[in-house]
Amino acid sequence: MTLYYRWLIPEIKASLPTWVAMRGISSDQIRDLDTRALAVFHDEELVAIAEWYTSKVHASEYWLYIEVAPKRRRQGLGFEVFRLVSRLRHRDIPFTYRNYLHTGSLAFAHKLGAYTRQVIPPDRASLIHREELTLTFPVEALHREQQDIFQRAYVDMYEWTHELWAPVSGEHQLTLQRNALEDIDKEATSIVYSSSGSIEGFVATYIVDGKPLLMGETASRNTPHGEQIIQSCLRRTLDILACREIEEVQMDGHISDPHWLPNWIRLAPYGE
């Protein structure tokens, strides 16, 4: 099969066929040479698309997405596109990808030689087990006048929870500071402060597609009583959400988060 590619200019993007699931794919070089997208053709028929880019938080790797037309799958085309993308990348840095277990795309990544760097536990939980968590530290909501302190603690937390497997780029501060407050629910966000007014740990609540998404950890890896601090924060947040008659929450975390994971597991999480 003779293949050729075209960079994904707006005219091609506007006419993508219905089989393309990556509806949010960006036009080629929408940001820079590390933000690329292409369309692969055979006899004028679009048979695959690919996108790879760096993030401002993790600039030492490319996020990679490849999609092959359904009727062209299991013919080795995905491997050909991967080899093409590997040659075309601006920098010789690794590709990375994430998805749920048992998906075909994750199996494809492993066939390309991918290895697992990180795993998240089941990402949903009911509030019915929240009484397994004990409030042992005084916990407060996020107040408007404390937003700057919270942003700094968020950046500190993100840096140490990623340092051993996905270090930050060095140009991450502004992006993370913006992420810290974007779509946040201040009342349902729970914080434990030190006697000096710094943040020792928190559970932040974000509203994503109308549903609560929780994430949290201590501000540093070695915070004393870290598990109990996060337990207290998580209990308060779940109590607030229960009063709103919310029955289920999702979370964003990793199995390597030492203070978050033991508390999340107490809720008997389920899902993918």
Side-chain angles (χ1 to χ4, degrees):
M1 181 185 300
T2 302
L3 302 174
Y4 63 95
Y5 72 90
R6 296 173 183 161
W7 296 110
L8 194 66
I9 58 175
E11 290 79 6
I12 296 177
K13 181 183 175 183
S15 60
L16 291 175
T18 57
W19 60 259
V20 176
M22 294 166 53
R23 305 314 300 184
I25 190 171
S26 299
S27 298
D28 182 55
Q29 290 192 64
I30 194 169
R31 193 176 74 216
D32 52 32
L33 286 172
D34 282 327
T35 309
R36 308 306 306 264
L38 57 79
V40 180
F41 294 86
H42 172 65
D43 290 340
E44 293 298 317
E45 176 193 6
L46 180 67
V47 295
I49 59 173
E51 177 182 37
W52 65 101
Y53 56 87
T54 58
S55 76
K56 291 184 178 180
V57 178
H58 304 284
S60 59
E61 59 194 30
Y62 288 119
W63 286 95
L64 172 65
Y65 297 89
I66 294 173
E67 186 173 0
V68 176
K71 67 179 181 180
R72 297 287 188 171
R73 293 171 187 169
R74 303 188 185 281
Q75 300 174 18
L77 186 56
F79 290 91
E80 291 297 321
V81 174
F82 178 73
R83 283 191 280 269
L84 172 64
V85 168
S86 297
R87 294 196 304 270
L88 293 173
R89 59 185 162 172
H90 180 57
R91 291 187 288 152
D92 185 16
I93 57 177
F95 293 113
T96 190
Y97 180 73
R98 66 180 294 179
N99 209 332
Y100 289 109
L101 292 173
H102 315 303
T103 57
S105 58
L106 200 62
F108 172 58
H110 283 294
K111 288 180 180 178
L112 292 173
Y115 64 92
T116 301
R117 291 194 303 170
Q118 187 56 270
V119 177
I120 65 170
D123 63 353
R124 289 180 290 155
S126 165
L127 275 62
I128 61 174
H129 295 297
R130 71 181 189 279
E131 292 185 1
E132 297 287 333
L133 306 171
T134 304
L135 267 167
T136 56
F137 280 79
V139 188
E140 299 181 34
L142 172 60
H143 304 295
R144 182 176 299 276
E145 64 272 15
Q146 298 163 334
Q147 289 184 168
D148 290 347
I149 299 173
F150 176 75
Q151 285 178 305
R152 290 196 295 272
Y154 183 99
V155 172
D156 291 342
M157 176 277 299
Y158 193 97
E159 288 177 347
W160 78 257
T161 56
H162 289 79
E163 65 183 351
L164 299 180
W165 61 278
V168 291
S169 65
E171 300 178 2
H172 59 285
Q173 293 271 351
L174 292 178
T175 299
L176 289 179
Q177 288 172 5
R178 183 182 67 248
N179 292 349
L181 296 176
E182 189 173 9
D183 300 321
I184 197 167
D185 183 323
K186 297 184 181 67
E187 180 193 15
T189 292
S190 299
I191 300 173
V192 169
Y193 289 92
S194 69
S195 57
S196 65
S198 63
I199 291 177
E200 295 199 322
F202 63 87
V203 168
T205 302
Y206 296 93
I207 304 303
V208 179
D209 297 328
K211 299 178 181 179
L213 174 73
L214 310 183
M215 67 176 299
E217 251 298 350
T218 52
S220 70
R221 183 183 299 277
N222 300 316
T223 299
H225 312 293
E227 186 174 330
Q228 289 74 30
I229 287 172
I230 297 305
Q231 182 173 171
S232 299
C233 291
L234 185 56
R235 174 61 188 269
R236 179 193 174 275
T237 288
L238 295 178
D239 285 346
I240 294 290
L241 296 175
C243 289
R244 301 178 186 175
E245 299 184 348
I246 290 172
E247 298 179 350
E248 182 184 74
V249 293
Q250 288 185 284
M251 72 97 206
D252 182 0
H254 322 99
I255 63 169
S256 60
D257 297 342
H259 311 121
W260 169 264
L261 182 66
N263 290 300
W264 180 250
I265 292 300
R266 286 187 173 95
L267 301 177
Y270 49 85
E272 295 185 280

